[in-house]
Amino acid sequence: DTGVSQNPRHKITKRGQNVTFRCDPISEHNRLYWYRQTLGQGPEFLTYFQNEAQLEKSRLLSDRFSAERPKGSFSTLEIQRTEQGDSAMYLCASSRRDSLLGTDTQYFGPGTRLTVL
Amino acid sequence: DQQVKQNSPSLSVQEGRISILNCDYTNSMFDYFLWYKKYPAEGPTFLISISSIKDKNEDGRFTVFLNKSAKHLSLHIVPSQPGDSAVYFCAASYGQNFVFGPGTRLSVLP
């Protein structure tokens, strides 16, 4: 299967602990996105990488959040000193711009569901 | 500031009939629009898209219509099947900026 994969699928942690999630994008995709989704809402943009460069960060991404994509392939999202409000589904998506059509279609992974107790 | 709106949180349709899901946007910079389907405990799955240079795109049972002057798009599913029951998200983009609507839960009744 060559889709986007995310690990772990579920994470339960105590408030104040650090957590790290991993995303492996579709191999030929150079763009990678992180989103957060809570109940009843659509995915909310967190950050975006083109290759290894982090080009954009949402103001939702507080200083407790950090994301990396060291070799332009897989990416990690770390949350330090987790809070109960961080409980959500964290989604990763990847894409490659269609130079002919000028469009960019994102393909999502299954998500990591974080529960902070 | 909700740039992409899906004003119907839920929709119920009889199997075999047409499902119409609506989406409105406010930012005229958006030039590419997508629909995603999401089952519980899974990530959104890409369904169909449309560029702003078109007003209709069709793929099997799914058709997306775009009315740029009204800043409105809709997804038509004909005929609806029970397996179509899911949450449908509309997304609008320009460049690498993507904004998703809150979703509409579609229930197709057998």
Side-chain angles (χ1 to χ4, degrees):
Chain A
D1 184 87
T2 56
V4 179
S5 62
Q6 291 186 247
N7 288 290
R9 294 291 306 274
H10 304 274
K11 179 71 178 177
I12 300 174
T13 191
K14 292 183 179 177
R15 190 175 51 186
Q17 298 294 304
N18 299 344
V19 294
T20 300
F21 311 140
R22 177 179 170 124
C23 171
D24 288 89
I26 294 170
S27 57
E28 62 267 27
H29 286 183
N30 62 341
R31 296 180 171 188
L32 187 146
Y33 303 76
W34 284 99
Y35 290 87
R36 182 176 70 185
Q37 185 177 19
T38 52
L39 201 62
Q41 300 296 319
E44 295 175 293
F45 171 77
L46 291 178
T47 190
Y48 155 66
F49 289 85
Q50 181 152 313
N51 300 312
E52 66 276 7
Q54 188 174 18
L55 297 186
E56 195 168 335
K57 287 195 285 188
S58 162
R59 60 180 179 274
L60 290 175
L61 211 68
S62 76
D63 56 7
R64 296 185 297 105
F65 288 69
S66 61
E68 293 183 344
R69 194 182 182 197
K71 295 180 181 177
S73 56
F74 74 91
S75 174
T76 57
L77 177 69
E78 182 183 15
I79 309 174
Q80 295 182 326
R81 305 181 303 280
T82 52
E83 300 173 357
Q84 287 182 326
D86 297 331
S87 296
M89 174 77 86
Y90 289 84
L91 294 163
C92 174
S94 71
S95 71
R96 182 183 63 179
R97 188 164 181 82
D98 186 318
S99 56
L100 196 64
L101 299 174
T103 56
D104 191 342
T105 300
Q106 295 185 12
Y107 294 87
F108 283 84
T112 296
R113 179 163 295 285
L114 172 66
T115 302
V116 182
L117 302 176
Chain B
D1 176 24
Q2 218 177 6
Q3 296 187 67
V4 178
K5 300 176 186 179
Q6 292 177 258
N7 290 322
S8 298
S10 62
L11 175 69
S12 292
V13 169
Q14 209 68 37
E15 181 179 4
R17 307 293 288 267
I18 184 170
S19 295
I20 300 176
L21 296 104
N22 293 303
C23 177
D24 296 286
Y25 61 96
T26 56
N27 191 339
S28 55
M29 295 280 291
F30 291 135
D31 60 5
Y32 186 52
F33 305 88
L34 310 93
W35 284 94
Y36 288 83
K37 178 169 76 172
K38 186 180 184 303
Y39 293 119
E42 294 183 13
T45 303
F46 170 69
L47 205 53
I48 192 169
S49 62
I50 187 166
S51 165
S52 60
I53 61 173
K54 292 186 164 185
D55 54 19
K56 177 182 174 181
N57 189 26
E58 195 171 349
D59 183 2
R61 296 185 299 114
F62 303 92
T63 303
V64 55
F65 295 92
L66 175 63
N67 182 334
K68 280 190 300 182
S69 60
K71 294 192 176 69
H72 176 84
L73 64 154
S74 60
L75 174 68
H76 292 210
I77 307 173
V78 182
S80 301
Q81 300 173 353
D84 297 328
S85 297
V87 178
Y88 288 78
F89 293 101
C90 165
S93 78
Y94 64 95
Q96 74 278 7
N97 300 290
F98 276 72
V99 180
F100 286 81
T104 296
R105 180 177 299 281
L106 174 66
S107 300
V108 180
L109 309 172

